[in-house]
Amino acid sequence: MKRIISLSLILAIYTCQILAQQNQSNVVLSALKDELKRSVTDLQLKNFEKPYFIEYRVQDVYTYRIDARFGALTVSSGGRSRRGSAQVRVGNYDFDNTNSFGGGFDFSSVESIMDAFESTQSTQVLPYEDDYDTIRQRFWLMTDSAYKSAVEQIASKRASMKNNPPDEVYPDLTKETPVTDISEAKKLEIDVPKWEKTIKNLSAVFKNYPDIVNSGVSMFVYSSDNLMLNNEGFLIKKPGNYWGLNIQADTLTDDGQTLGVSRFFYGKQLESINSEAELTKIVNEMADLLMKTRSAPKFTETYIGPVLLTENAAPTIFAGNFAPNLINRRGEGSRDLSDRINRRVLPSFLSITDNPQLEKIGNTELPGTYKFDSQGIEAKPLKLVENGILRNMLTSRTPTKFSKQSNGRSGGISNLIVENSVKKTFTELKAELINQCKLLNIPYGIMLKGTHSGVSIYKVYVDDGHEELVRSANIDGLNIQDFRQILAAGDDSFTINVPSRGDSNLSSVTAPSILMEEMVLRKDTLPKTRPFILTNPYFDKTK
């Protein structure tokens, strides 16, 4: 009987806790809804226009970080923070205080677009406690500040357009169908003692390498609960969880060059992290590669010719040099690909899809998954490049010459997948690399392979196909036009996860090995580093 009562009591307590959490969440939402309703109805300066758009956001964040060097912890700390923001627009959908002409904004990257957006907001630190009165008071202050700024911005914008009329004028905000989507947050819990031990052990592996002068291993978790609502009727509540692991090491060559190797891992679930044994193997492999690179011959010439990119070097080049141009931007400095819609941007055997609904490719977790973007727009799979022809761009609620509606990509790419219809084996790609070198009458070609943050460079000799690791070479001037000259692609596939300011905090890029018709590599011209006066005391057995 006592056992039944105990179980009933535990169940009742647990139920109360769940209800309390739900009520706390309702407290925040109620405070925002009530202040939003009041602001929409009553907020107006005398002789000035009322807001036509008001949006509130709350971000509740928990983070924890663990760092270790040479077998000892240097950081183990975390905490919670909560911030709120209010955006106010005056005018109308066709013309408002945002997207200012002559305002100094550069819309050439996701970061600058986000910065420009944030400049039209007012932000405040919010209390951890779900206190209705305090939260509502904070949003009253933010709304007041954002409205006053909006009134000044639209006056400045009108004056700027009168004095310097633009050639083309676009609306400032797309009209979209409001949605409600509420996903409850699940905090990413980290076992601190376990991971402190693991990170310390991984960093201690570098004690076996006397020529590594600096090294470290770090791990962090990021867990957020994000709420957005506006007067259009949008209500979006979604979690944002991910973890990151970084392993890095540096060495100094005999001729004074600093070389480094670094590897990043990202994911959404802690269960997807490799085991300690697997990570230890990776650390050893990284250290061994760094030592081989340290003793490798120095690249001393300028190379202009075909380059084979394999392993993570292939998606890395797409992530850094191609994907950013698929984001449809607004502003005079825009360098996107929108002027090449329905034109060739890749060879006919390559296509590109951005798919925020895809969670895995094989056994590889894709972290760029989300249902609605940060502006509340549903994100569906999108064919960007079809058989080499650019068909679409990644768009947000900011209209452009190309875009009249958002396709749910306010944060840029989600899971970008490069698809190949003419697949070649690695052996065939290497043979084609050598054949291209023969046509150019050069003694070797170049092969790049490696991790997201570091690429190893190999010379592939024409006479017998042997590969030689080299160091001190830099890729020079890869342009978006160069991707049209990809000669062939592999039957393999490699995925990298990268942090972003997008809608899932992480994005992924998947691509096969590719053979570029031409790239330029030059010798490293960085100044040399002076050698250490004394040896590392850990390895100095004489003292």
Side-chain angles (χ1 to χ4, degrees), residues 423-455:
K423 304 176 188 293
K424 294 193 175 184
T425 65
F426 177 78
T427 300
E428 291 172 328
L429 290 175
K430 184 176 176 180
E432 183 60 25
L433 170 68
I434 292 173
N435 182 56
Q436 290 294 317
C437 293
K438 289 179 178 179
L439 294 174
L440 295 171
N441 196 28
I442 54 178
Y444 64 85
I446 292 291
M447 179 172 64
L448 307 179
K449 61 181 179 180
T451 66
H452 165 57
S453 55
V455 174

PDB file of all heavy atoms in Angstrom, residues 423-455:
ATOM      1  N   LYS A 423      28.834   9.559 -62.950  1.00  0.00           N
ATOM      2  CA  LYS A 423      29.708   9.225 -61.829  1.00  0.00           C
ATOM      3  C   LYS A 423      30.978   8.513 -62.309  1.00  0.00           C
ATOM      4  O   LYS A 423      30.911   7.587 -63.120  1.00  0.00           O
ATOM      5  CB  LYS A 423      28.962   8.340 -60.824  1.00  0.00           C
ATOM      6  CG  LYS A 423      27.662   8.950 -60.321  1.00  0.00           C
ATOM      7  CD  LYS A 423      26.916   7.990 -59.407  1.00  0.00           C
ATOM      8  CE  LYS A 423      25.533   8.508 -59.046  1.00  0.00           C
ATOM      9  NZ  LYS A 423      25.599   9.709 -58.222  1.00  0.00           N
ATOM     10  N   LYS A 424      32.110   8.960 -61.781  1.00  0.00           N
ATOM     11  CA  LYS A 424      33.387   8.325 -62.089  1.00  0.00           C
ATOM     12  C   LYS A 424      34.066   7.888 -60.801  1.00  0.00           C
ATOM     13  O   LYS A 424      33.946   8.549 -59.771  1.00  0.00           O
ATOM     14  CB  LYS A 424      34.289   9.286 -62.861  1.00  0.00           C
ATOM     15  CG  LYS A 424      33.758   9.640 -64.242  1.00  0.00           C
ATOM     16  CD  LYS A 424      34.814  10.332 -65.090  1.00  0.00           C
ATOM     17  CE  LYS A 424      34.303  10.559 -66.512  1.00  0.00           C
ATOM     18  NZ  LYS A 424      35.338  11.149 -67.387  1.00  0.00           N
ATOM     19  N   THR A 425      34.794   6.778 -60.875  1.00  0.00           N
ATOM     20  CA  THR A 425      35.513   6.298 -59.711  1.00  0.00           C
ATOM     21  C   THR A 425      36.697   7.227 -59.430  1.00  0.00           C
ATOM     22  O   THR A 425      37.115   8.014 -60.288  1.00  0.00           O
ATOM     23  CB  THR A 425      36.033   4.877 -59.928  1.00  0.00           C
ATOM     24  OG1 THR A 425      37.012   4.888 -60.990  1.00  0.00           O
ATOM     25  CG2 THR A 425      34.887   3.930 -60.305  1.00  0.00           C
ATOM     26  N   PHE A 426      37.252   7.096 -58.234  1.00  0.00           N
ATOM     27  CA  PHE A 426      38.413   7.913 -57.902  1.00  0.00           C
ATOM     28  C   PHE A 426      39.572   7.598 -58.842  1.00  0.00           C
ATOM     29  O   PHE A 426      40.314   8.499 -59.261  1.00  0.00           O
ATOM     30  CB  PHE A 426      38.832   7.677 -56.446  1.00  0.00           C
ATOM     31  CG  PHE A 426      40.068   8.429 -56.058  1.00  0.00           C
ATOM     32  CD1 PHE A 426      40.005   9.785 -55.776  1.00  0.00           C
ATOM     33  CD2 PHE A 426      41.302   7.796 -56.005  1.00  0.00           C
ATOM     34  CE1 PHE A 426      41.154  10.490 -55.430  1.00  0.00           C
ATOM     35  CE2 PHE A 426      42.447   8.482 -55.677  1.00  0.00           C
ATOM     36  CZ  PHE A 426      42.374   9.846 -55.377  1.00  0.00           C
ATOM     37  N   THR A 427      39.730   6.324 -59.187  1.00  0.00           N
ATOM     38  CA  THR A 427      40.803   5.929 -60.110  1.00  0.00           C
ATOM     39  C   THR A 427      40.637   6.615 -61.459  1.00  0.00           C
ATOM     40  O   THR A 427      41.618   7.097 -62.058  1.00  0.00           O
ATOM     41  CB  THR A 427      40.806   4.401 -60.300  1.00  0.00           C
ATOM     42  OG1 THR A 427      41.017   3.775 -59.023  1.00  0.00           O
ATOM     43  CG2 THR A 427      41.910   3.967 -61.248  1.00  0.00           C
ATOM     44  N   GLU A 428      39.385   6.693 -61.925  1.00  0.00           N
ATOM     45  CA  GLU A 428      39.121   7.363 -63.206  1.00  0.00           C
ATOM     46  C   GLU A 428      39.378   8.873 -63.110  1.00  0.00           C
ATOM     47  O   GLU A 428      39.908   9.478 -64.044  1.00  0.00           O
ATOM     48  CB  GLU A 428      37.679   7.094 -63.638  1.00  0.00           C
ATOM     49  CG  GLU A 428      37.414   5.651 -64.048  1.00  0.00           C
ATOM     50  CD  GLU A 428      35.953   5.366 -64.295  1.00  0.00           C
ATOM     51  OE1 GLU A 428      35.093   5.981 -63.624  1.00  0.00           O
ATOM     52  OE2 GLU A 428      35.649   4.515 -65.163  1.00  0.00           O
ATOM     53  N   LEU A 429      39.013   9.476 -61.980  1.00  0.00           N
ATOM     54  CA  LEU A 429      39.256  10.907 -61.802  1.00  0.00           C
ATOM     55  C   LEU A 429      40.752  11.204 -61.772  1.00  0.00           C
ATOM     56  O   LEU A 429      41.226  12.179 -62.381  1.00  0.00           O
ATOM     57  CB  LEU A 429      38.602  11.398 -60.505  1.00  0.00           C
ATOM     58  CG  LEU A 429      37.075  11.461 -60.485  1.00  0.00           C
ATOM     59  CD1 LEU A 429      36.585  11.842 -59.088  1.00  0.00           C
ATOM     60  CD2 LEU A 429      36.552  12.464 -61.505  1.00  0.00           C
ATOM     61  N   LYS A 430      41.506  10.368 -61.094  1.00  0.00           N
ATOM     62  CA  LYS A 430      42.947  10.571 -61.020  1.00  0.00           C
ATOM     63  C   LYS A 430      43.586  10.398 -62.399  1.00  0.00           C
ATOM     64  O   LYS A 430      44.488  11.168 -62.784  1.00  0.00           O
ATOM     65  CB  LYS A 430      43.566   9.597 -60.012  1.00  0.00           C
ATOM     66  CG  LYS A 430      45.053   9.805 -59.789  1.00  0.00           C
ATOM     67  CD  LYS A 430      45.584   8.872 -58.713  1.00  0.00           C
ATOM     68  CE  LYS A 430      47.090   9.014 -58.559  1.00  0.00           C
ATOM     69  NZ  LYS A 430      47.635   8.103 -57.518  1.00  0.00           N
ATOM     70  N   ALA A 431      43.103   9.399 -63.149  1.00  0.00           N
ATOM     71  CA  ALA A 431      43.623   9.188 -64.501  1.00  0.00           C
ATOM     72  C   ALA A 431      43.322  10.386 -65.395  1.00  0.00           C
ATOM     73  O   ALA A 431      44.151  10.797 -66.221  1.00  0.00           O
ATOM     74  CB  ALA A 431      43.026   7.910 -65.089  1.00  0.00           C
ATOM     75  N   GLU A 432      42.126  10.987 -65.236  1.00  0.00           N
ATOM     76  CA  GLU A 432      41.766  12.164 -66.027  1.00  0.00           C
ATOM     77  C   GLU A 432      42.616  13.371 -65.634  1.00  0.00           C
ATOM     78  O   GLU A 432      42.979  14.187 -66.487  1.00  0.00           O
ATOM     79  CB  GLU A 432      40.282  12.470 -65.847  1.00  0.00           C
ATOM     80  CG  GLU A 432      39.756  13.640 -66.669  1.00  0.00           C
ATOM     81  CD  GLU A 432      39.904  13.455 -68.167  1.00  0.00           C
ATOM     82  OE1 GLU A 432      39.972  12.285 -68.635  1.00  0.00           O
ATOM     83  OE2 GLU A 432      39.972  14.468 -68.896  1.00  0.00           O
ATOM     84  N   LEU A 433      42.924  13.484 -64.347  1.00  0.00           N
ATOM     85  CA  LEU A 433      43.824  14.548 -63.892  1.00  0.00           C
ATOM     86  C   LEU A 433      45.178  14.438 -64.593  1.00  0.00           C
ATOM     87  O   LEU A 433      45.713  15.427 -65.110  1.00  0.00           O
ATOM     88  CB  LEU A 433      44.006  14.460 -62.369  1.00  0.00           C
ATOM     89  CG  LEU A 433      45.097  15.354 -61.756  1.00  0.00           C
ATOM     90  CD1 LEU A 433      44.712  16.827 -61.875  1.00  0.00           C
ATOM     91  CD2 LEU A 433      45.341  14.979 -60.292  1.00  0.00           C
ATOM     92  N   ILE A 434      45.713  13.229 -64.635  1.00  0.00           N
ATOM     93  CA  ILE A 434      47.014  13.002 -65.279  1.00  0.00           C
ATOM     94  C   ILE A 434      46.925  13.278 -66.773  1.00  0.00           C
ATOM     95  O   ILE A 434      47.825  13.885 -67.376  1.00  0.00           O
ATOM     96  CB  ILE A 434      47.489  11.557 -65.001  1.00  0.00           C
ATOM     97  CG1 ILE A 434      47.823  11.405 -63.510  1.00  0.00           C
ATOM     98  CG2 ILE A 434      48.690  11.197 -65.864  1.00  0.00           C
ATOM     99  CD1 ILE A 434      48.138   9.988 -63.095  1.00  0.00           C
ATOM    100  N   ASN A 435      45.816  12.850 -67.397  1.00  0.00           N
ATOM    101  CA  ASN A 435      45.642  13.078 -68.831  1.00  0.00           C
ATOM    102  C   ASN A 435      45.601  14.572 -69.157  1.00  0.00           C
ATOM    103  O   ASN A 435      46.202  15.030 -70.149  1.00  0.00           O
ATOM    104  CB  ASN A 435      44.360  12.392 -69.309  1.00  0.00           C
ATOM    105  CG  ASN A 435      44.144  12.543 -70.806  1.00  0.00           C
ATOM    106  OD1 ASN A 435      45.015  12.179 -71.605  1.00  0.00           O
ATOM    107  ND2 ASN A 435      42.996  13.075 -71.186  1.00  0.00           N
ATOM    108  N   GLN A 436      44.910  15.363 -68.319  1.00  0.00           N
ATOM    109  CA  GLN A 436      44.855  16.808 -68.527  1.00  0.00           C
ATOM    110  C   GLN A 436      46.248  17.439 -68.399  1.00  0.00           C
ATOM    111  O   GLN A 436      46.597  18.365 -69.152  1.00  0.00           O
ATOM    112  CB  GLN A 436      43.895  17.446 -67.515  1.00  0.00           C
ATOM    113  CG  GLN A 436      42.435  17.128 -67.749  1.00  0.00           C
ATOM    114  CD  GLN A 436      41.913  17.734 -69.043  1.00  0.00           C
ATOM    115  OE1 GLN A 436      42.205  18.881 -69.378  1.00  0.00           O
ATOM    116  NE2 GLN A 436      41.126  16.957 -69.782  1.00  0.00           N
ATOM    117  N   CYS A 437      47.026  16.934 -67.463  1.00  0.00           N
ATOM    118  CA  CYS A 437      48.398  17.439 -67.301  1.00  0.00           C
ATOM    119  C   CYS A 437      49.257  17.136 -68.529  1.00  0.00           C
ATOM    120  O   CYS A 437      50.080  17.960 -68.953  1.00  0.00           O
ATOM    121  CB  CYS A 437      49.045  16.845 -66.043  1.00  0.00           C
ATOM    122  SG  CYS A 437      48.295  17.397 -64.512  1.00  0.00           S
ATOM    123  N   LYS A 438      49.054  15.957 -69.114  1.00  0.00           N
ATOM    124  CA  LYS A 438      49.793  15.594 -70.319  1.00  0.00           C
ATOM    125  C   LYS A 438      49.441  16.545 -71.472  1.00  0.00           C
ATOM    126  O   LYS A 438      50.330  16.952 -72.232  1.00  0.00           O
ATOM    127  CB  LYS A 438      49.488  14.150 -70.711  1.00  0.00           C
ATOM    128  CG  LYS A 438      50.093  13.107 -69.771  1.00  0.00           C
ATOM    129  CD  LYS A 438      49.710  11.697 -70.217  1.00  0.00           C
ATOM    130  CE  LYS A 438      50.347  10.658 -69.304  1.00  0.00           C
ATOM    131  NZ  LYS A 438      49.959   9.268 -69.697  1.00  0.00           N
ATOM    132  N   LEU A 439      48.160  16.870 -71.585  1.00  0.00           N
ATOM    133  CA  LEU A 439      47.737  17.788 -72.641  1.00  0.00           C
ATOM    134  C   LEU A 439      48.380  19.172 -72.471  1.00  0.00           C
ATOM    135  O   LEU A 439      48.661  19.868 -73.451  1.00  0.00           O
ATOM    136  CB  LEU A 439      46.212  17.927 -72.657  1.00  0.00           C
ATOM    137  CG  LEU A 439      45.413  16.665 -73.037  1.00  0.00           C
ATOM    138  CD1 LEU A 439      43.923  16.914 -72.869  1.00  0.00           C
ATOM    139  CD2 LEU A 439      45.722  16.250 -74.480  1.00  0.00           C
ATOM    140  N   LEU A 440      48.600  19.554 -71.215  1.00  0.00           N
ATOM    141  CA  LEU A 440      49.215  20.857 -70.929  1.00  0.00           C
ATOM    142  C   LEU A 440      50.737  20.785 -70.871  1.00  0.00           C
ATOM    143  O   LEU A 440      51.406  21.808 -70.694  1.00  0.00           O
ATOM    144  CB  LEU A 440      48.681  21.402 -69.594  1.00  0.00           C
ATOM    145  CG  LEU A 440      47.182  21.729 -69.558  1.00  0.00           C
ATOM    146  CD1 LEU A 440      46.743  22.046 -68.131  1.00  0.00           C
ATOM    147  CD2 LEU A 440      46.870  22.911 -70.477  1.00  0.00           C
ATOM    148  N   ASN A 441      51.252  19.548 -70.985  1.00  0.00           N
ATOM    149  CA  ASN A 441      52.703  19.335 -70.933  1.00  0.00           C
ATOM    150  C   ASN A 441      53.304  19.848 -69.625  1.00  0.00           C
ATOM    151  O   ASN A 441      54.335  20.531 -69.603  1.00  0.00           O
ATOM    152  CB  ASN A 441      53.393  19.997 -72.122  1.00  0.00           C
ATOM    153  CG  ASN A 441      54.810  19.484 -72.336  1.00  0.00           C
ATOM    154  OD1 ASN A 441      55.130  18.339 -71.984  1.00  0.00           O
ATOM    155  ND2 ASN A 441      55.684  20.318 -72.882  1.00  0.00           N
ATOM    156  N   ILE A 442      52.637  19.509 -68.513  1.00  0.00           N
ATOM    157  CA  ILE A 442      53.181  19.841 -67.198  1.00  0.00           C
ATOM    158  C   ILE A 442      53.465  18.540 -66.452  1.00  0.00           C
ATOM    159  O   ILE A 442      52.789  17.533 -66.660  1.00  0.00           O
ATOM    160  CB  ILE A 442      52.223  20.737 -66.397  1.00  0.00           C
ATOM    161  CG1 ILE A 442      50.818  20.112 -66.288  1.00  0.00           C
ATOM    162  CG2 ILE A 442      52.115  22.122 -67.031  1.00  0.00           C
ATOM    163  CD1 ILE A 442      49.830  20.948 -65.454  1.00  0.00           C
ATOM    164  N   PRO A 443      54.474  18.538 -65.569  1.00  0.00           N
ATOM    165  CA  PRO A 443      54.949  17.276 -64.983  1.00  0.00           C
ATOM    166  C   PRO A 443      54.054  16.692 -63.897  1.00  0.00           C
ATOM    167  O   PRO A 443      54.189  15.524 -63.553  1.00  0.00           O
ATOM    168  CB  PRO A 443      56.310  17.654 -64.411  1.00  0.00           C
ATOM    169  CG  PRO A 443      56.212  19.111 -64.109  1.00  0.00           C
ATOM    170  CD  PRO A 443      55.337  19.674 -65.198  1.00  0.00           C
ATOM    171  N   TYR A 444      53.179  17.493 -63.326  1.00  0.00           N
ATOM    172  CA  TYR A 444      52.341  16.986 -62.234  1.00  0.00           C
ATOM    173  C   TYR A 444      51.031  17.772 -62.175  1.00  0.00           C
ATOM    174  O   TYR A 444      50.917  18.891 -62.684  1.00  0.00           O
ATOM    175  CB  TYR A 444      53.056  17.082 -60.879  1.00  0.00           C
ATOM    176  CG  TYR A 444      53.362  18.505 -60.451  1.00  0.00           C
ATOM    177  CD1 TYR A 444      52.423  19.275 -59.778  1.00  0.00           C
ATOM    178  CD2 TYR A 444      54.613  19.083 -60.716  1.00  0.00           C
ATOM    179  CE1 TYR A 444      52.691  20.580 -59.401  1.00  0.00           C
ATOM    180  CE2 TYR A 444      54.899  20.385 -60.334  1.00  0.00           C
ATOM    181  CZ  TYR A 444      53.926  21.123 -59.673  1.00  0.00           C
ATOM    182  OH  TYR A 444      54.205  22.424 -59.295  1.00  0.00           O
ATOM    183  N   GLY A 445      50.031  17.151 -61.545  1.00  0.00           N
ATOM    184  CA  GLY A 445      48.783  17.829 -61.228  1.00  0.00           C
ATOM    185  C   GLY A 445      48.684  17.988 -59.728  1.00  0.00           C
ATOM    186  O   GLY A 445      49.538  17.515 -58.974  1.00  0.00           O
ATOM    187  N   ILE A 446      47.624  18.633 -59.279  1.00  0.00           N
ATOM    188  CA  ILE A 446      47.434  18.874 -57.849  1.00  0.00           C
ATOM    189  C   ILE A 446      46.172  18.165 -57.369  1.00  0.00           C
ATOM    190  O   ILE A 446      45.137  18.169 -58.045  1.00  0.00           O
ATOM    191  CB  ILE A 446      47.317  20.381 -57.546  1.00  0.00           C
ATOM    192  CG1 ILE A 446      48.648  21.078 -57.801  1.00  0.00           C
ATOM    193  CG2 ILE A 446      46.855  20.636 -56.115  1.00  0.00           C
ATOM    194  CD1 ILE A 446      49.752  20.724 -56.817  1.00  0.00           C
ATOM    195  N   MET A 447      46.278  17.551 -56.184  1.00  0.00           N
ATOM    196  CA  MET A 447      45.122  16.940 -55.527  1.00  0.00           C
ATOM    197  C   MET A 447      44.987  17.548 -54.133  1.00  0.00           C
ATOM    198  O   MET A 447      45.965  17.632 -53.391  1.00  0.00           O
ATOM    199  CB  MET A 447      45.282  15.427 -55.428  1.00  0.00           C
ATOM    200  CG  MET A 447      44.118  14.740 -54.724  1.00  0.00           C
ATOM    201  SD  MET A 447      44.201  12.930 -54.798  1.00  0.00           S
ATOM    202  CE  MET A 447      45.708  12.618 -53.860  1.00  0.00           C
ATOM    203  N   LEU A 448      43.767  17.981 -53.805  1.00  0.00           N
ATOM    204  CA  LEU A 448      43.470  18.519 -52.480  1.00  0.00           C
ATOM    205  C   LEU A 448      42.545  17.562 -51.761  1.00  0.00           C
ATOM    206  O   LEU A 448      41.530  17.136 -52.299  1.00  0.00           O
ATOM    207  CB  LEU A 448      42.784  19.892 -52.583  1.00  0.00           C
ATOM    208  CG  LEU A 448      43.472  20.964 -53.431  1.00  0.00           C
ATOM    209  CD1 LEU A 448      42.632  22.223 -53.435  1.00  0.00           C
ATOM    210  CD2 LEU A 448      44.868  21.254 -52.914  1.00  0.00           C
ATOM    211  N   LYS A 449      42.894  17.222 -50.543  1.00  0.00           N
ATOM    212  CA  LYS A 449      41.990  16.410 -49.728  1.00  0.00           C
ATOM    213  C   LYS A 449      42.209  16.766 -48.265  1.00  0.00           C
ATOM    214  O   LYS A 449      43.284  17.178 -47.862  1.00  0.00           O
ATOM    215  CB  LYS A 449      42.195  14.915 -49.961  1.00  0.00           C
ATOM    216  CG  LYS A 449      43.571  14.359 -49.626  1.00  0.00           C
ATOM    217  CD  LYS A 449      43.599  12.861 -49.930  1.00  0.00           C
ATOM    218  CE  LYS A 449      44.964  12.253 -49.645  1.00  0.00           C
ATOM    219  NZ  LYS A 449      44.989  10.801 -49.953  1.00  0.00           N
ATOM    220  N   GLY A 450      41.121  16.639 -47.492  1.00  0.00           N
ATOM    221  CA  GLY A 450      41.292  16.974 -46.090  1.00  0.00           C
ATOM    222  C   GLY A 450      39.985  17.238 -45.392  1.00  0.00           C
ATOM    223  O   GLY A 450      38.920  16.830 -45.844  1.00  0.00           O
ATOM    224  N   THR A 451      40.073  17.975 -44.274  1.00  0.00           N
ATOM    225  CA  THR A 451      38.932  18.224 -43.417  1.00  0.00           C
ATOM    226  C   THR A 451      38.338  19.587 -43.738  1.00  0.00           C
ATOM    227  O   THR A 451      38.854  20.320 -44.575  1.00  0.00           O
ATOM    228  CB  THR A 451      39.361  18.182 -41.943  1.00  0.00           C
ATOM    229  OG1 THR A 451      40.253  19.288 -41.697  1.00  0.00           O
ATOM    230  CG2 THR A 451      40.086  16.889 -41.639  1.00  0.00           C
ATOM    231  N   HIS A 452      37.274  19.904 -43.011  1.00  0.00           N
ATOM    232  CA  HIS A 452      36.582  21.175 -43.252  1.00  0.00           C
ATOM    233  C   HIS A 452      37.500  22.373 -43.084  1.00  0.00           C
ATOM    234  O   HIS A 452      37.429  23.345 -43.818  1.00  0.00           O
ATOM    235  CB  HIS A 452      35.398  21.301 -42.301  1.00  0.00           C
ATOM    236  CG  HIS A 452      34.846  22.686 -42.215  1.00  0.00           C
ATOM    237  ND1 HIS A 452      34.396  23.366 -43.325  1.00  0.00           N
ATOM    238  CD2 HIS A 452      34.707  23.527 -41.171  1.00  0.00           C
ATOM    239  CE1 HIS A 452      33.981  24.570 -42.955  1.00  0.00           C
ATOM    240  NE2 HIS A 452      34.167  24.687 -41.663  1.00  0.00           N
ATOM    241  N   SER A 453      38.373  22.340 -42.091  1.00  0.00           N
ATOM    242  CA  SER A 453      39.165  23.526 -41.784  1.00  0.00           C
ATOM    243  C   SER A 453      40.616  23.419 -42.243  1.00  0.00           C
ATOM    244  O   SER A 453      41.394  24.343 -42.043  1.00  0.00           O
ATOM    245  CB  SER A 453      39.150  23.779 -40.274  1.00  0.00           C
ATOM    246  OG  SER A 453      39.586  22.628 -39.598  1.00  0.00           O
ATOM    247  N   GLY A 454      40.983  22.343 -42.867  1.00  0.00           N
ATOM    248  CA  GLY A 454      42.354  22.200 -43.337  1.00  0.00           C
ATOM    249  C   GLY A 454      42.437  21.226 -44.485  1.00  0.00           C
ATOM    250  O   GLY A 454      41.833  20.153 -44.445  1.00  0.00           O
ATOM    251  N   VAL A 455      43.152  21.609 -45.520  1.00  0.00           N
ATOM    252  CA  VAL A 455      43.249  20.777 -46.717  1.00  0.00           C
ATOM    253  C   VAL A 455      44.699  20.399 -46.954  1.00  0.00           C
ATOM    254  O   VAL A 455      45.586  21.259 -46.933  1.00  0.00           O
ATOM    255  CB  VAL A 455      42.694  21.516 -47.950  1.00  0.00           C
ATOM    256  CG1 VAL A 455      42.919  20.711 -49.219  1.00  0.00           C
ATOM    257  CG2 VAL A 455      41.207  21.811 -47.763  1.00  0.00           C
TER     258      VAL A 455
END
